């Protein structure tokens, strides 16, 4: 939800004593009382949020050592400056105290000073975070397998280890009135366009939401159009892909607790680009990219073309194919529309069931279930065998997209075209296609046209769109990003000579 930021917090109208009283209702909130130089101090913390080794080996031994020094007068500043921990805060702000103790800080209150408090960071919020960082959903045969995890600090570490540049800049926000989720935007200072940075910062700062559970929630809240099925920002768990988007001048958003980062401004062609395209020779990479784009077109239109041809346009069917088609549909009691919808829904049910079940069971269900149900449907004359092949190939083609968000969009788009083709035939498909283009031309990603370089037309950006040109020709950043520094690397004879040798 985007609206005027509501900064009100119940802690603003509470005293620290009321906050502590409320926290003591939880069974994991602990209190320890100690005497330090004749002054009683209270140590309060959530035992589930702290690092117990730091507490037992560093913090408490220092307190016990101070407890023995009874001849010295107590000084809060001296106590604070000599604590052998890095993050120690002196505060009187009740709101800050409430926020910090829920982040793993220890609260220290003093008997002789009811207004001054110390907050000491002994947090252990990385407990339970996944340690392995292999890319599970964006697998590639060639190239690195390093991906992000659910820890924000770990993800920034991985990014800085990949991009060892002083230009890499991070800015952190805290979102969620209940979750207090850390969100970080990352960009290359001096390269990324200031307008895009300010747009992202403005939209994130305006978020007023209770729980930010994943980066996908931020994606939905800040997007330019919430009524479109198309993803407007690239979401990826791959370190190499996010590093590439940063290098060309995009802004990246990380969310604590999410292994996916989102980057923008993005165009529709970004969702058909795979990291592997840059690990192969440019000819092979371009071929795979074209196959991917053709597969998406086939996935959207194949079933609807079948319905249109069988229902309205028999004359376009070759004579040699007309006999087998009539024979396969001779005993099917349903019209082509219901026949296609039945098979499409069956494929989607198998896909959803396979995704929700454990890996081994899901794979077995997808393979065995598809074969058994397909053969049984043809044998029972519920569908024709030709349509079964078309729908199966259409389902396979939808998986060629490197990003799952675009794959889900492709699955959805098939159904409106199927219905339109059953009503108006080929004319319905053309009307649907025209409406789809109009919708795409209106979309924007961080106020940048979604259909670049097709609309507005950008001739220079075609070098890395439908095909992946040699590295000697894609040394400039895309024009639509309006980067401050448009040159990625110097085009020289060594690169050209190396590519010519590889091509031979």
């Amino acid at each position: 939800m985007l609206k005027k930021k509501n900064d009100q917090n119940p802690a603003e109208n509470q005293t620290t004593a009321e906050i502590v009283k409320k926290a003591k209702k939880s069974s994991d909130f602990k209190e320890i009382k100690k005497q330090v130089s004749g002054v009683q101090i209270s140590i309060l913390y959530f035992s589930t949020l702290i690092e117990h080794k730091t507490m037992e080996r560093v913090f408490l031994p220092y307190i016990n050592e101070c407890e023995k020094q009874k001849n010295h007068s107590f000084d809060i500043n001296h106590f604070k400056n000599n604590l052998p921990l890095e993050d120690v805060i002196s505060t009187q702000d009740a709101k800050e105290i409430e926020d910090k103790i829920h982040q793993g800080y220890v609260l220290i209150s003093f008997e002789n000073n009811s207004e001054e408090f110390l907050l000491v960071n002994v947090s252990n919020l990385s407990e339970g975070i996944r340690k392995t960082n292999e890319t599970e959903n964006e697998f590639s045969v060639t190239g690195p397998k390093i991906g992000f995890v659910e820890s924000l600090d770990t993800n920034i570490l991985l990014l800085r280890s990949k991009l060892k540049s002083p230009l890499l800049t991070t800015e952190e926000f805290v979102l969620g009135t209940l979750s207090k989720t850390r969100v970080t935007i990352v960009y290359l200072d001096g390269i990324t366009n200031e307008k895009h940075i300010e747009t992202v910062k403005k939209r994130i700062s305006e978020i007023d939401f209770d729980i930010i559970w994943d980066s996908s929630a931020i994606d939905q809240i800040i997007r330019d159009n919430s009524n479109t099925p198309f993803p407007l920002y690239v979401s990826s768990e791959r370190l190499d892909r996010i590093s590439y988007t940063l290098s060309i001048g995009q802004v990246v958003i990380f969310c604590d607790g999410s292994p996916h980062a989102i980057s923008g401004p993005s165009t529709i062609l970004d969702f058909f680009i795979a990291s592997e395209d840059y690990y192969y020779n440019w000819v092979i990479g371009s071929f795979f990219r074209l196959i991917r784009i053709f597969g998406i077109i086939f996935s959207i239109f194949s079933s609807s073309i079948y319905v249109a041809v069988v229902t309205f346009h028999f004359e376009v069917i070759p004579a040699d194919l007309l006999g087998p088609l009539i024979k396969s549909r001779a005993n099917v009691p349903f019209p082509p529309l219901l026949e296609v919808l039945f098979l499409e829904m069956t494929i989607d049910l198998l896909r959803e069931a396979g995704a929700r079940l454990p890996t081994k069971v899901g794979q077995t269900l997808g393979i065995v279930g598809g074969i058994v149900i397909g053969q049984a449907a043809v044998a029972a004359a519920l569908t024709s065998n030709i349509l079964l092949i078309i729908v199966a190939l259409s389902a396979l083609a939808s998986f060629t997209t490197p990003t799952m968000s675009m794959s889900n969009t492709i699955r959805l788009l098939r159904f409106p075209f199927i219905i339109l083709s059953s009503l108006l035939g080929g004319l319905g498909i053309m009307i649907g296609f025209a409406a789809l283009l109009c919708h795409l031309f209106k979309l924007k990603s961080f106020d940048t046209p979604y259909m670049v370089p097709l609309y507005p037309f950008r001739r220079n950006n075609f070098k890395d769109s439908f095909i992946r040109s040699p590295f000697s020709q894609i040394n400039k950043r895309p024009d639509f990003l309006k980067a401050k520094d448009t040159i990625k690397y110097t085009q020289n004879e060594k690169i050209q000579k190396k590519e010519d040798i590889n091509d031979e």
Side-chain angles (χ1 to χ4, degrees):
M1 182 183 297
L2 278 174
K3 61 180 183 181
K4 185 177 180 180
K5 184 68 177 176
N6 181 13
D7 293 327
Q8 291 184 351
N9 190 296
E12 291 182 349
N13 301 319
Q14 297 183 73
T15 63
T16 302
E18 291 173 337
I19 292 172
V20 171
K21 182 179 179 181
K22 184 168 61 174
K24 285 183 176 179
K25 294 180 180 179
S26 300
S27 58
D28 60 336
F29 190 75
K30 307 297 181 183
E31 180 179 8
I32 301 174
K33 293 185 180 294
K34 294 282 186 180
Q35 288 284 340
V36 177
S37 300
V39 176
Q40 187 179 42
I41 67 172
S42 297
I43 304 169
L44 306 108
Y45 59 93
F46 283 98
S47 61
T48 51
L49 295 178
I50 66 167
E51 171 61 63
H52 288 276
K53 290 183 179 179
T54 305
M55 190 77 170
E56 296 169 0
R57 298 178 184 179
V58 180
F59 183 75
L60 290 180
Y62 174 77
I63 299 294
N64 293 332
E65 187 67 28
C66 292
E67 195 174 10
K68 297 176 183 179
Q69 302 174 3
K70 298 182 180 179
N71 297 328
H72 296 79
S73 60
F74 181 77
D75 184 358
I76 291 179
N77 291 326
H78 177 79
F79 182 81
K80 171 189 172 183
N81 295 332
N82 287 276
L83 265 173
L85 291 168
E86 181 182 0
D87 192 357
V88 182
I89 303 171
S90 177
T91 184
Q92 298 178 4
D93 187 357
K95 181 179 183 298
E96 184 179 20
I97 289 173
E98 184 178 58
D99 290 341
K100 293 297 185 182
I101 62 174
H102 287 89
Q103 295 175 19
Y105 281 70
V106 168
L107 173 66
I108 304 177
S109 64
F110 305 94
E111 184 184 33
N112 65 340
N113 190 337
S114 59
E115 295 182 355
E116 193 78 15
F117 300 91
L118 289 184
L119 291 165
V120 185
N121 187 3
V122 288
S123 61
N124 185 28
L125 300 182
S126 61
E127 185 68 28
I129 298 296
R130 175 169 57 98
K131 304 299 181 183
T132 57
N133 62 339
E134 291 188 3
T135 53
E136 297 180 357
N137 300 316
E138 295 179 68
F139 181 78
S140 65
V141 178
T142 308
K145 307 296 187 293
I146 299 177
F148 297 117
V149 294
E150 286 77 6
S151 171
L152 176 61
D153 293 330
T154 302
N155 293 338
I156 300 299
L157 181 149
L158 291 171
L159 194 60
R160 287 197 179 278
S161 66
K162 187 72 172 179
L163 297 176
K164 303 178 181 68
S165 170
L167 301 179
L168 188 64
T169 307
T170 64
E171 294 189 36
E172 186 172 309
F173 300 81
V174 178
L175 303 181
T177 55
L178 295 178
S179 63
K180 308 293 183 185
T181 305
R182 296 166 58 208
V183 175
T184 299
I185 67 169
V186 186
Y187 57 89
L188 294 179
D189 189 26
I191 292 179
T192 307
N193 188 284
E194 289 289 345
K195 181 182 177 182
H196 298 150
I197 298 172
E198 291 303 319
T199 300
V200 175
K201 289 165 64 175
K202 181 177 183 294
R203 293 187 185 183
I204 288 182
S205 63
E206 290 178 347
I207 292 178
D208 188 5
F209 213 65
D210 55 351
I211 298 177
I212 305 296
W213 55 85
D214 186 74
S215 60
S216 59
I218 299 175
D219 184 329
Q220 296 177 59
I221 295 172
I222 68 173
R223 59 170 43 203
D224 300 67
N225 186 343
S226 60
N227 298 319
T228 178
F230 287 89
L232 300 182
Y233 313 111
V234 172
S235 175
S236 177
E237 63 177 348
R238 293 186 63 91
L239 174 61
D240 55 350
R241 176 151 195 171
I242 293 300
S243 300
Y244 173 77
T245 61
L246 278 171
S247 70
I248 63 175
Q250 292 185 351
V251 183
V252 175
I253 303 174
F254 285 94
C255 176
D256 194 25
S258 174
H260 291 84
I262 57 178
S263 63
S266 302
T267 69
I268 190 170
L269 292 175
D270 288 339
F271 297 92
F272 306 128
I273 296 175
S275 301
E276 290 178 303
D277 296 346
Y278 301 95
Y279 299 138
Y280 295 122
N281 175 276
W282 74 272
V283 177
I284 298 175
S286 299
F287 173 74
F288 287 156
R289 189 177 294 183
L290 289 171
I291 288 293
R292 208 175 293 129
I293 295 173
F294 170 78
I296 297 306
I297 297 173
F298 178 84
S299 179
I300 295 174
F301 295 104
S302 58
S303 299
S304 56
I305 290 175
Y306 172 86
V307 173
V309 168
V310 173
T311 307
F312 293 96
H313 310 293
F314 283 104
E315 65 277 5
V316 303
I317 303 175
D320 295 337
L321 184 60
L322 189 59
L325 181 60
I326 293 174
K327 184 178 179 181
S328 67
R329 282 194 44 81
N331 298 319
V332 177
F334 305 115
L337 174 63
L338 294 181
E339 182 187 5
V340 171
L341 290 178
F342 168 74
L343 269 186
E344 291 283 0
M345 291 301 296
T346 302
I347 292 293
D348 279 339
L349 285 174
L350 286 172
R351 184 184 299 184
E352 283 297 309
R356 303 291 174 264
L357 290 171
T359 305
K360 294 182 180 179
V361 180
Q363 290 176 350
T364 304
L365 176 68
I367 297 172
V368 177
I371 295 173
V372 172
I373 293 176
Q375 290 292 334
V378 173
L382 296 177
T383 183
S384 65
N385 49 17
I386 294 178
L387 177 61
L388 181 64
I389 295 171
I390 292 174
V391 172
L393 289 176
S394 176
L396 286 175
S398 67
F399 284 115
T400 59
T401 52
T403 56
M404 186 58 67
S405 55
M406 182 58 77
S407 176
N408 293 333
T409 301
I410 300 305
R411 291 166 59 184
L412 176 65
L413 285 179
R414 292 204 296 263
F415 291 97
F417 280 100
I418 290 171
I419 295 173
L420 285 172
S421 65
S422 68
L423 296 175
L424 300 172
L427 177 62
I429 295 176
M430 295 307 298
I431 292 174
F433 182 65
L436 178 62
L437 283 181
C438 291
H439 176 70
L440 288 172
F441 288 149
K442 290 172 61 179
L443 291 180
K444 290 186 177 182
S445 175
F446 290 145
D447 296 329
T448 301
Y450 191 59
M451 290 295 286
V452 175
L454 299 174
Y455 175 82
F457 186 79
R458 296 288 185 270
R459 183 170 57 87
N460 294 334
N461 294 155
F462 277 93
K463 294 179 180 179
D464 191 15
S465 55
F466 294 98
I467 63 171
R468 200 278 282 177
S469 301
F471 286 123
S472 59
Q473 298 181 21
I474 55 174
N475 65 316
K476 293 185 178 180
R477 294 183 173 89
D479 295 340
F480 74 92
L481 291 175
K482 299 178 181 178
K484 291 182 178 179
D485 185 0
T486 58
I487 305 298
K488 289 197 293 183
Y489 50 85
T490 305
Q491 181 180 358
N492 54 43
E493 296 180 358
K494 290 183 178 180
I495 297 176
Q496 185 65 50
K497 187 180 293 185
K498 195 170 185 180
E499 289 180 345
D500 291 341
I501 294 174
N502 292 334
D503 293 341
E504 291 175 1

